[in-house]
Amino acid sequence: MKAFLATLATVLTLALGHTAQADGASGKLVLYTSQLEPDARQTVEAFKAKNPGVEVEWIRNGTTELMNKLRAEFTAGAPQPDLLLIADAVTMESLKAEKRLQPYAGAPVSGYRPGTHDTQGYWFGTKLITTGIVYNTAATMKPTSWQDLLKPEAKGSTVMPSPLYSGAAAIHMASIKAQPALGMAYYEALHRNGVTAAKGNGGILKDVAGGAKLYGMIVDYLPIRENLKGAPVAFVFPKEGVSAVSEPVAILSTARNPAAAKAFIDFLLSREGQELASAQGFLPALPGVNPPPGFPDPAAITLMPYDPAKALAEDEANKRAFADLFGG
């Protein structure tokens, strides 16, 4: 009888311990994120409110800078983060190929569109930052299609971000190339129509809002926010569709606290996490969550499909092709 009671006590202790672990993550979680600093702080605080047992240590920088730091840590054999929340899926694909990520098979992806998360569960998009067309409201032509940027009205009056400097632009190029009606021939036609390249999206907004250019390719939230403030710009989701970066999140294969990392992913993908993304001014990745002011219903937006693994394989060739046309 004593042996039975001892065994029962052991089973109950294990069961209760498992339940406690499942019910609430705990311990230290190290996060590397490329979110804007106010958004990162708000996201961490919202997560901690739901998971008070987790101490979050977070480092914020641009994706390129974070990856440089992380690769130096890999070389030293001492990677620090449990979790990455960075700009684009192509970078995640490179880490996946290097076996630097671990899958999370139980992530709550029900209801999410295909393409917003890795089918094997290695990374998960947390929002949609699309690239479409911005135009100065004084322009006579109001574009509705990517092909409109090839019209005479747009000749010499269009600017776009360079994939040599912008991750969103690199994904946009991969997405355009994947469209049979566009492809690399579209970039060649843009070159013939006098389109110029700038380093980043902020400069494009400045050029179009100031009238130096009438049209531009740009990430959605910049012109939409400025339009709401009264700037003379409007944003278009072209009828063929838009490319999108999804600010994916992933767990490192070397994570010291994978349970807390999974809890963080659960929060980001939950309806509450998606409502927070919307409140921060970004399109939520989860259909059915209300978008921020100025944005259409995400269900009405066509996303141009692309293969992140193929985009990774072709990234250097794409950048060389772009530089040959538009310079570095």
Side-chain angles (χ1 to χ4, degrees):
M1 185 67 176
K2 287 182 180 179
F4 170 77
L5 290 174
T7 301
L8 179 60
T10 300
V11 170
L12 288 173
T13 299
L14 290 172
L16 288 172
H18 175 76
T19 301
Q21 184 178 17
D23 285 348
S26 62
K28 180 181 177 180
L29 175 69
V30 180
L31 167 69
Y32 283 11
T33 178
S34 65
Q35 287 181 292
L36 298 173
E37 188 161 339
D39 294 346
R41 183 176 294 106
Q42 190 178 30
T43 300
V44 167
E45 291 304 318
F47 167 75
K48 287 171 62 177
K50 298 295 248 183
N51 297 269
V54 180
E55 174 196 353
V56 182
E57 178 182 304
W58 57 280
I59 292 176
R60 187 271 156 199
N61 213 325
T63 295
T64 299
E65 290 79 8
L66 286 176
M67 288 305 299
N68 289 340
K69 176 177 172 60
L70 184 57
R71 293 203 179 282
E73 293 172 357
F74 287 152
T75 300
Q80 297 302 303
D82 297 289
L83 199 65
L84 288 179
L85 177 58
I86 55 176
D88 64 274
V90 173
T91 302
M92 290 300 195
E93 281 294 323
S94 70
L95 292 169
K96 175 184 170 183
E98 296 166 16
K99 303 188 184 307
R100 297 292 188 180
L101 304 180
Q102 63 174 279
Y104 177 19
V109 296
S110 177
Y112 280 82
R113 301 190 201 195
T116 58
H117 54 275
D118 179 55
T119 56
Q120 296 175 302
Y122 282 92
W123 53 262
F124 309 90
T126 63
K127 55 180 63 74
L128 297 176
I129 303 174
T130 72
T131 291
I133 299 173
V134 60
Y135 66 92
N136 188 293
T137 52
T140 54
M141 180 189 69
K142 314 298 183 187
T144 60
S145 164
W146 290 113
Q147 299 290 352
D148 289 338
L149 298 183
L150 306 180
K151 290 181 176 180
E153 297 94 321
K155 188 172 182 64
S157 297
T158 303
V159 61
M160 64 181 172
S162 168
L164 280 66
Y165 300 97
S166 165
I171 287 177
H172 185 67
M173 187 173 187
S175 301
I176 289 285
K177 283 187 63 182
Q179 308 309 305
L182 296 170
M184 191 62 202
Y186 180 70
Y187 279 90
E188 293 165 355
L190 288 172
H191 178 255
R192 290 194 298 272
N193 210 38
V195 175
T196 57
K199 285 188 176 181
N201 288 273
I204 289 167
L205 179 65
K206 182 178 179 180
D207 282 350
V208 176
K213 297 288 185 178
L214 294 177
Y215 307 98
M217 296 183 189
I218 196 170
V219 292
D220 52 27
Y221 65 91
L222 291 175
I224 289 176
R225 290 175 183 177
E226 292 307 303
N227 172 271
L228 293 174
K229 297 175 186 176
V233 292
F235 183 79
V236 175
F237 294 87
K239 62 185 180 182
E240 300 94 339
V242 291
S243 64
V245 294
S246 57
E247 201 164 89
V249 62
I251 305 172
L252 271 292
S253 59
T254 50
R256 296 180 179 86
N257 194 345
K262 289 176 180 179
F264 200 93
I265 291 175
D266 289 347
F267 171 73
L268 292 176
L269 299 183
S270 70
R271 187 173 187 88
E272 182 178 350
Q274 290 296 289
E275 288 172 346
L276 175 60
S278 180
Q280 291 170 343
F282 299 100
L283 272 174
L286 180 64
V289 175
N290 290 331
F295 285 80
D297 182 349
I301 299 171
T302 300
L303 297 180
M304 292 190 291
Y306 82 104
D307 180 346
K310 184 179 180 183
L312 173 64
E314 297 179 352
D315 186 56
E316 289 305 316
N318 286 346
K319 288 175 179 176
R320 285 195 300 270
F322 187 92
D324 287 345
L325 288 171
F326 302 99

